[in-house]
Amino acid sequence: MRCLLFCACVACARARGGVPSGLQSEKELNHTFPSQNSFITELISSPPDKRAFILDVGANNGAWGNRMMERCQAAAPTKHVQLIMFEPQHRFEATLRRLVERWGANYIRAAAWTADTNITFFTMRDSRAASVNPRGGGGIERAHRNYSVPGIDFPAFLLRTLMRGDFVLLKLDVEGAEYELLPPLVASGALCSPTHLLIEWHMRSLVGATPKQTASKRQEAGRLRISLQAMLERQCRWDLSKAPPIVMDHEDDASTAAFVAQSKS
């Protein structure tokens, strides 16, 4: 059985002009999380026939996935790693197509979602990120445009794509959609497939019609964040053929970090 190691990183406030949001800025790309380092360390010593995947969900401009592939190639040049990128925004298509050519990557121009259906995306005026939330992942400004994008049943995708014994690093940076996506990922057992997880949390994206509704939404989101470890342990170990991830990292926005700190006090 794998054991769980959970780490957290508090995200600093980001300038919104010209710098891609999420795990894309130069500072963040140069910061390495334990899940990334562990994935590469284990890749080096893995058997030649072991399948390895990097799933970049919310790929944005592809900078994070590209950097991870460069690190894998430098550390284990004889090992094949399959990069899969989910990104529905048309503006990044040309950039992501170049990564397809460079790495033989799979580029899925759709949003990871809970079902195969079209969903509404919102973009912010001064951000390159988009979200299912009208206030975006930061929860500060209202969207200046919205449009429909295809959504893919992501739990089903993982279950049909990954096999027991695969070596998988999953980065989930979906600008607030994690609160909709994670419960079915856990309940279906799909989140037992990755060996390494990196999740960015966007509690500030949750805004209700009143301050009371906002507080209620954020409390529920915070409970999901701090209970995810126990949820995974129960679900993954219920089926002896599965196991929870080896390493899981959290990148928390300020609201999430404050909730986590308060829950520990």
Side-chain angles (χ1 to χ4, degrees), residues 219-238:
Q219 286 175 0
E220 183 178 356
R223 287 192 291 269
L224 174 63
R225 159 67 172 83
I226 63 178
S227 66
L228 188 60
Q229 174 180 1
M231 292 169 63
L232 274 172
E233 288 178 333
R234 285 195 303 269
Q235 182 62 40
C236 299
R237 292 196 167 114
W238 177 80

Side-chain angles (χ1 to χ4, degrees), residues 33-247:
F33 292 84
S35 55
Q36 298 166 255
N37 295 335
S38 174
F39 179 84
I40 291 174
T41 298
E42 296 195 27
L43 178 68
I44 294 170
S45 60
S46 65
D49 59 345
K50 192 174 184 71
R51 300 199 314 169
F53 296 87
I54 293 175
L55 276 72
D56 190 358
V57 180
N60 200 268
N61 61 9
W64 182 88
N66 184 59
R67 182 67 60 90
M68 279 302 303
M69 290 296 290
E70 290 176 341
R71 291 185 63 196
C72 290
Q73 185 181 63
T78 63
K79 302 294 177 64
H80 174 70
V81 179
Q82 184 63 48
L83 173 63
I84 303 176
M85 302 176 292
F86 280 80
E87 178 53 60
Q89 293 190 79
H90 175 72
R91 72 175 83 182
F92 298 122
E93 183 170 2
T95 301
L96 297 178
R97 293 289 179 196
R98 287 194 289 271
L99 296 184
V100 170
E101 295 177 5
R102 181 180 185 188
W103 301 114
N106 291 349
Y107 165 37
I108 300 174
R109 196 181 150 192
W113 194 235
T114 59
D116 294 326
T117 186
N118 288 333
I119 58 178
T120 301
F121 249 42
F122 299 89
T123 59
M124 307 301 115
R125 189 173 304 278
D126 297 320
S127 173
R128 297 177 71 181
S131 173
V132 295
N133 190 302
R135 288 184 179 270
I140 300 174
E141 59 173 325
R142 294 185 182 275
H144 80 282
R145 69 179 287 254
N146 64 77
Y147 53 96
S148 179
V149 301
I152 286 183
D153 186 332
F154 190 57
F157 174 85
L158 290 182
L159 290 171
R160 69 172 177 264
T161 302
L162 303 179
M163 299 168 53
R164 182 184 180 187
D166 286 343
F167 197 45
V168 183
L169 169 61
L170 167 61
K171 185 214 80 177
L172 191 67
D173 181 10
V174 288
E175 302 297 329
E178 62 270 18
Y179 304 106
E180 298 286 341
L181 193 52
L182 283 168
L185 279 170
V186 173
S188 66
L191 208 59
C192 302
S193 299
T195 52
H196 299 74
L197 288 176
L198 173 54
I199 301 175
E200 183 168 351
W201 297 88
H202 306 81
M203 187 184 288
R204 290 183 67 189
S205 70
L206 303 176
V207 180
T210 66
K212 185 176 180 179
Q213 290 180 356
T214 296
S216 177
K217 284 187 174 186
R218 292 184 178 181
Q219 286 175 0
E220 183 178 356
R223 287 192 291 269
L224 174 63
R225 159 67 172 83
I226 63 178
S227 66
L228 188 60
Q229 174 180 1
M231 292 169 63
L232 274 172
E233 288 178 333
R234 285 195 303 269
Q235 182 62 40
C236 299
R237 292 196 167 114
W238 177 80
D239 182 346
L240 294 180
S241 67
K242 299 177 180 178
I246 299 170
V247 182

